[in-house]
């Protein structure tokens, strides 16, 4: 394992490093994988290097690379964003950039690791996230992790010539969760 920080059964999370530039550029510029990163702009090595170099100066943003333990393979990125220490909440973001790892439980395990870290180490009370309404499998996966639909941002995302709704989901530390890391 390369510099592991949070460790699960199949995956581990580690800090983002300068050496991750090639992979992050590839994922961001991939139309399918990049759409989950909430960006419509392409990136290049210079932009990505600047992004990585600035990462750890922002105390409200905590990103990790998602690694598969078997083979030490980079498959995605996850983060806590907009960490609010007054209201004890943060936005959870996750993207599996390697499509062959989609819908195989790797994202769910990485999310469980982030939930445990957010609630049990950072002492947050609430996590929230935004999902494209069309990502039905992602909505279902987060519901299985006990996230609740909290609202809709109507026609908030423009993609492929159409506007789409964004679903806001949230999880409280006190919500009943089963089978999660740290319980």
């Amino acid at each position: 394992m390369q510099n592991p920080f949070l460790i699960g059964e199949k995956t581990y999370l580690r800090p983002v490093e300068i050496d991750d530039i090639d992979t992050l550029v590839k994922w961001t510029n991939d139309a399918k994988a990049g759409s989950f990163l909430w960006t419509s702009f392409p990136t290049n090595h210079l932009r990505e290097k600047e992004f990585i170099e600035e990462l750890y100066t922002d105390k409200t943003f905590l990103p990790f690379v998602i690694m598969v333990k078997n083979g030490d393979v980079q498959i995605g990125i996850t983060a806590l964003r907009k960490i609010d220490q007054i209201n004890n909440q943060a936005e959870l973001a996750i993207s599996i950039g390697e499509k062959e790892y989609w819908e195989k439980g790797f994202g769910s395990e990485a999310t469980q690791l982030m939930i445990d870290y957010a609630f049990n180490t950072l002492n947050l009370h609430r996590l929230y996230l935004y999902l494209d309404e069309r990502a039905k499998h992602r909505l279902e996966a987060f519901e299985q992790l006990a996230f609740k639909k909290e609202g809709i941002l109507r026609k908030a995302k423009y993609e492929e010539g159409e506007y789409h709704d964004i679903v806001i989901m949230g999880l409280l530390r006190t919500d009943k969760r089963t089978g999660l890391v740290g319980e």
Side-chain angles (χ1 to χ4, degrees), residues 2 11-45 48 51-52 55 63-68 72-79 93-102 106-107 110 138 157 159:
Q2 308 169 19
T11 62
Y12 68 94
L13 308 182
R14 65 160 176 80
V16 176
E17 302 286 350
I18 287 290
D19 292 346
D20 297 322
I21 289 174
D22 290 340
T23 305
L24 295 174
V25 166
K26 179 180 86 169
W27 293 339
T28 302
N29 291 337
D30 181 305
K32 274 293 199 198
S35 71
F36 296 121
L37 298 173
W38 272 75
T39 182
S40 298
F41 296 104
T43 193
N44 60 29
H45 286 79
E48 207 62 41
F51 169 73
I52 292 171
L55 274 181
F64 297 99
V65 173
I66 303 168
M67 303 288 293
V68 174
D72 244 6
V73 180
Q74 296 175 331
I75 62 164
I77 190 163
T78 185
I94 184 168
S95 177
I96 302 297
E98 298 298 329
K99 295 179 196 127
E100 62 268 24
Y101 292 91
W102 286 6
F106 294 102
R138 290 183 62 140
K157 183 177 183 182
E159 191 173 82

Side-chain angles (χ1 to χ4, degrees), residues 55 58-64 79-92 114 117-118 122-128:
L55 274 181
D58 182 352
K59 302 295 183 205
T60 68
F61 184 62
L62 190 56
F64 297 99
L80 295 175
R81 302 191 295 200
K82 301 176 191 164
I83 299 171
D84 176 348
Q85 295 180 334
I86 293 171
N87 297 303
N88 290 328
Q89 64 180 349
E91 178 184 350
L92 174 67
M114 292 295 279
Y117 179 66
L122 299 181
N123 195 33
L124 296 181
H125 173 70
R126 178 175 180 268
L127 293 175
Y128 62 94

Side-chain angles (χ1 to χ4, degrees), residues 159-173:
E159 191 173 82
E160 298 176 355
E162 295 181 42
Y163 289 95
H164 303 279
D165 291 347
I166 297 299
V167 178
I168 304 167
M169 299 186 82
L171 178 68
L172 302 178
R173 176 199 298 258

Side-chain angles (χ1 to χ4, degrees), residues 1 6-13 66-70 75 105-111 113:
M1 290 191 286
L6 301 172
I7 303 170
E9 289 181 31
K10 301 188 307 187
T11 62
Y12 68 94
L13 308 182
I66 303 168
M67 303 288 293
V68 174
K69 286 167 86 173
N70 184 8
I75 62 164
F106 294 102
S108 292
E109 183 176 274
T111 300
L113 291 168

